[in-house]
Amino acid sequence: MSLFTPSQGFRTLDWQSNNGVRTTRSVSGKTFRVRTGNQSWSFKLTSPALTREQFMADYSFFVQQEGMANAFTIVPPTIGTTRGTANSDPITVNAAYAAGQSLVKANGGGGTLKKGDLIKFSNHDKVYMLTEDINMDASTEDFFHIFPVLTTAVSSSTTITHTNVPVKVFLDTNQIKFVTQADGLYRYEIVLNEDI
């Protein structure tokens, strides 16, 4: 699976959480809500103004994905790395956790991670968001409160990525088009859906 690295970065990021919830309203006006699927992330990225050479490097990558057919990974700008002070030391889960858990204990690492930071477990593709701050000191267990709940079990040897978190994605359309600008520069916008 390819990692997409844009030639000149991105100008804007529009990030969203998608939750599968079915809503039904009865004749009496009561509303019923039921979860119908897993949560996933999606996001829209807008490029800065690019020369033709810069643009074609990015465009040729998207064409190779054959629309929605192929998945690739990308590190989202801005939120792909912690806002905290966490160092690059490995963080390892210290027990087995079944799918459906929203709290995972781990140790290793140092510094802080902030709620809203993205993390990824090494044994599966889903990306999670921290819902509480973590102050890691490498000598004690740290509590990782995550959203959504684990979609796949993690074992005691699973590591956690918190810097340059790669998100496995696919394009949201089968049409790969572009429009040139009057100034001779190129700009593009893509919408990506998390592939879990």
Side-chain angles (χ1 to χ4, degrees):
M1 184 175 329
S2 302
L3 171 66
F4 174 64
T5 304
S7 61
Q8 298 296 310
F10 290 103
R11 188 172 52 86
T12 62
L13 166 69
D14 180 359
W15 183 266
Q16 73 181 37
S17 174
N18 306 297
N19 298 285
V21 178
R22 185 176 62 222
T23 304
T24 306
R25 186 177 297 262
S26 70
V27 175
S28 68
K30 185 167 181 158
T31 303
F32 298 92
R33 294 172 302 281
V34 177
R35 275 192 226 159
T36 58
N38 288 334
Q39 181 274 352
S40 66
W41 307 107
S42 62
F43 49 104
K44 180 169 56 173
L45 296 166
T46 305
S47 77
L50 302 170
T51 64
R52 182 177 180 188
E53 184 175 334
Q54 293 165 336
F55 170 75
M56 286 302 175
D58 291 0
Y59 184 70
S60 66
F61 178 89
F62 298 132
V63 170
Q64 292 175 65
Q65 304 316 306
E66 300 180 272
M68 300 169 73
N70 296 312
F72 58 96
T73 57
I74 186 170
V75 175
T78 309
I79 65 170
T81 300
T82 180
R83 295 172 294 122
T85 61
N87 61 33
S88 60
D89 293 344
I91 302 170
T92 306
V93 175
N94 60 9
Y97 292 90
Q101 301 293 313
S102 63
L103 174 67
V104 174
K105 295 178 188 175
N107 53 17
T112 60
L113 295 173
K114 299 291 191 177
K115 64 179 163 182
D117 285 348
L118 300 179
I119 64 167
K120 186 172 182 288
F121 296 97
S122 60
N123 73 324
H124 59 287
D125 293 323
K126 180 73 182 116
V127 170
Y128 300 89
M129 184 173 279
L130 294 176
T131 59
E132 298 290 334
D133 290 347
I134 303 170
N135 186 10
M136 301 178 294
D137 64 6
S139 64
T140 60
E141 287 184 328
D142 297 305
F143 296 85
F144 286 71
H145 297 267
I146 60 171
F147 174 82
V149 299
L150 287 173
T151 60
T152 304
V154 293
S155 68
S156 60
S157 60
T158 303
T159 58
I160 298 173
T161 300
H162 60 79
T163 300
N164 295 324
V165 177
V167 181
K168 183 180 175 187
V169 296
F170 62 93
L171 292 164
D172 83 327
T173 182
N174 287 314
Q175 296 175 335
I176 312 299
K177 67 178 184 174
F178 68 90
V179 178
T180 59
Q181 304 293 314
D183 58 9
L185 298 175
Y186 295 70
R187 294 168 184 85
Y188 68 89
E189 186 175 273
I190 55 171
V191 177
L192 303 172
N193 298 304
E194 184 179 24
D195 189 18
I196 49 177

